[in-house]
Amino acid sequence: MNLPSTMRAALITAPHTIEHQEVPLPEVGPDDVLIQVELAGVCGTDAHLLEGHFHAKLPLIPGHEIVGKVVALGGNVRGFSEGQRVVLDPDLNCGTCIMCQKGMRHQCLHYEAVGVTRAGGFAEYVVAPSNVVYDASDLAPEEAVFAEPLGCVAWGITRLKPEPGSTALLYGAGGIGLLLMQALKASGVSEIAVVDTQTERLNLARKLGADHTFLASEADEQIKALFPHGFDIVTEATGVAKVQQHMVQHAIPGGKILVFGVAPEDVTIEVSPYEIFRKDLTVLGSFSLNSTIPLALRWLRSGQVKVRDLITDTLPLSGLSEAIDQKIAARAGSIKAIVSPTLILEGAPS
Ligand SMILES: [Zn+2]
Ligand SMILES: [Zn+2]
C-alpha cells in the first residue's frame, strides 16, 4: 500500500495547549501494526493529560480508544492483513516484571500506553505492537470504538463477579455508566437502579435497560422506599468523592462495593469501618483493563451492550480541544464525543 510520509495529528504541546500539526508517519517496527484511524473516542484521561497530569512527556498525540484499518505490518507480525478493521488495547506491558508475571499486565511496572505515554489515535495513523491489536472486522467503527472503555468495564465486572439474580445500584449515567449498567445486566444482575443528575441521561438509561431511575436530588428517599435492605452491588461511574462516600449505606449485608469512577488523586472520603465490618461488605477497586478486550468485543457483537445511542458528538480533529476541555461533556444530554480524523467540516481548519 502506498502511504504518505506525513499525517495530520492533534498534539498536546504544553499543559492546556492543543496544536494541529503535520507530523511524520509513525515508524513500523518488526512487531508492529500500522493502523489508519477511523474513529477515536474522547475520554476523561485525555482531559487529565491536557491539564498536565500523568507526567505526560510532551508533545504527545493523545487518544487511546481507537478503531481503524491495518495498512502496514512489521516483518514478524502474523495473523493480520491489510484492510482489516482492528481495535487496540492501549496498555503495553513488558511481560517480565512481577505484575506482568502475576497476570496483572495493566499494573506493569514499566507502564507504557498508546495515547498516554506514546503517540495515540488523534491522528490519521497510529502504530502499536501486534500483541495488543484485536480483530474487529465484524463490527461497525461506531461500535468498535467502544472496545477500550468497555474493556475497562469488563475488568470491573471480572473483579466484581456478580452473582446470578443480584440487584445493583449505579451512580452516574454518562458514557461509562451506561456501559457498566448494560455489562452488569449481561453478567447476572437482574434488577438495576440508576441515579444521575440529568433527566436526559436517565431516559437513555431506561431505554438501555435500567429498571429504576432516580434523580440524584431525590434518590435517597426513593431508593430506601423501594429497596429498604439495600443492594447486592453498589457502584458508581462518577469519580465524585461525595458519591463514593455514599455507597456503603446502600449495600445489603454481604454486598459488594465497586469504586469504578476516577476520583481526584488528593481527595479522601469518610467511611465507617464499623459499617463495612458489621455488614460483611466487600470493597473493590478497578483500574484500566486487563486482557478484557475480547469480553468487550463479545458484548458488542452479541448486542448485549448497545453503544450507538451513546455517541452524541462526532468531530473532526480540529474539534478535539472543544471535546476535551469538557464544553461538550458539560452540555445537558451529551454522552460521548468521538473524533474522526478523516472528517473535515465545511470551512473548518483541518
Ligand atoms: Zn479512556
Ligand atoms: Zn511488566
Side-chain angles (χ1 to χ4, degrees):
M1 185 177 281
N2 270 340
L3 293 167
S5 57
T6 63
M7 63 175 187
R8 285 182 297 123
L11 293 91
I12 300 174
T13 52
H16 307 286
T17 310
I18 291 179
E19 283 183 31
H20 298 271
Q21 294 178 5
E22 195 75 22
V23 300
L25 230 61
E27 263 173 54
V28 185
D31 300 311
D32 289 342
V33 176
L34 182 67
I35 296 160
Q36 182 168 26
V37 179
E38 293 181 293
L39 295 173
V42 180
C43 112
T45 300
D46 301 313
H48 286 128
L49 287 167
L50 185 59
E51 285 162 19
H53 295 268
F54 297 139
H55 311 288
K57 268 187 252 135
L58 305 179
L60 171 78
I61 303 173
H64 58 276
E65 304 179 359
I66 300 164
V67 56
K69 290 203 164 165
V70 174
V71 290
L73 300 159
N76 296 340
V77 177
R78 300 286 175 271
F80 292 100
S81 51
E82 281 185 21
Q84 183 179 0
R85 177 166 295 137
V86 292
V87 295
L88 287 189
D89 181 338
D91 289 348
L92 310 180
N93 55 308
C94 75
T96 54
C97 76
I98 182 172
M99 296 317 300
C100 284
Q101 292 191 333
K102 274 165 65 85
M104 296 284 276
R105 55 181 292 283
H106 63 304
Q107 298 277 6
C108 176
L109 299 180
H110 309 287
Y111 175 81
E112 291 275 341
V114 174
V116 181
T117 65
R118 50 186 261 175
F122 294 134
E124 289 180 282
Y125 298 89
V126 64
V127 76
S130 63
N131 67 351
V132 297
V133 178
Y134 293 82
D135 175 55
S137 48
D138 51 352
L139 291 170
E142 293 78 12
E143 296 163 333
V145 72
F146 285 92
E148 193 274 343
L150 190 54
C152 296
V153 165
W155 177 236
I157 297 284
T158 304
R159 305 256 307 133
L160 187 63
K161 297 184 186 71
E163 280 171 30
S166 354
T167 57
L169 171 63
L170 165 68
Y171 289 92
I176 291 289
L178 293 171
L179 294 178
L180 183 54
M181 178 193 83
Q182 296 179 80
L184 284 164
K185 288 206 89 171
S187 307
V189 168
S190 55
E191 196 171 1
I192 187 160
V194 180
V195 180
D196 198 275
T197 53
Q198 294 182 20
T199 312
E200 294 91 340
R201 288 179 169 191
L202 292 175
N203 290 342
L204 185 53
R206 270 191 180 273
K207 185 179 165 190
L208 294 173
D211 300 285
H212 313 275
T213 55
F214 304 104
L215 267 175
S217 53
E218 322 167 334
D220 272 342
E221 275 174 36
Q222 294 175 347
I223 289 170
K224 286 256 158 72
L226 217 53
F227 293 87
H229 306 295
F231 296 81
D232 299 309
I233 293 165
V234 183
T235 185
E236 56 77 45
T238 66
V240 176
K242 214 170 63 186
V243 172
Q244 293 167 329
Q245 175 159 309
H246 211 70
M247 295 200 289
V248 167
Q249 73 177 74
H250 288 297
I252 202 167
K256 296 176 186 169
I257 310 278
L258 174 66
V259 178
F260 197 80
V262 186
E265 277 177 59
D266 52 353
V267 162
T268 55
I269 56 173
E270 264 180 44
V271 173
S272 154
Y274 177 79
E275 208 176 350
I276 295 173
F277 153 79
R278 211 270 302 155
K279 284 164 76 173
D280 281 315
L281 298 183
T282 303
V283 180
L284 293 157
S286 175
F287 170 71
S288 193
L289 67 167
N290 181 16
S291 308
T292 41
I293 292 279
L295 174 50
L297 290 172
R298 281 200 294 279
W299 281 333
L300 291 170
R301 285 174 183 134
S302 66
Q304 283 178 297
V305 175
K306 295 184 174 61
V307 293
R308 284 182 182 264
D309 284 342
L310 306 187
I311 301 176
T312 47
D313 300 88
T314 304
L315 303 152
L317 267 183
S318 54
L320 182 63
S321 38
E322 186 193 355
I324 291 185
D325 77 6
Q326 308 292 308
K327 272 186 208 122
I328 287 180
R331 194 189 71 223
S334 156
I335 306 279
K336 179 81 173 176
I338 57 172
V339 166
S340 160
T342 52
L343 181 71
I344 296 171
L345 287 191
E346 293 277 315
S350 61

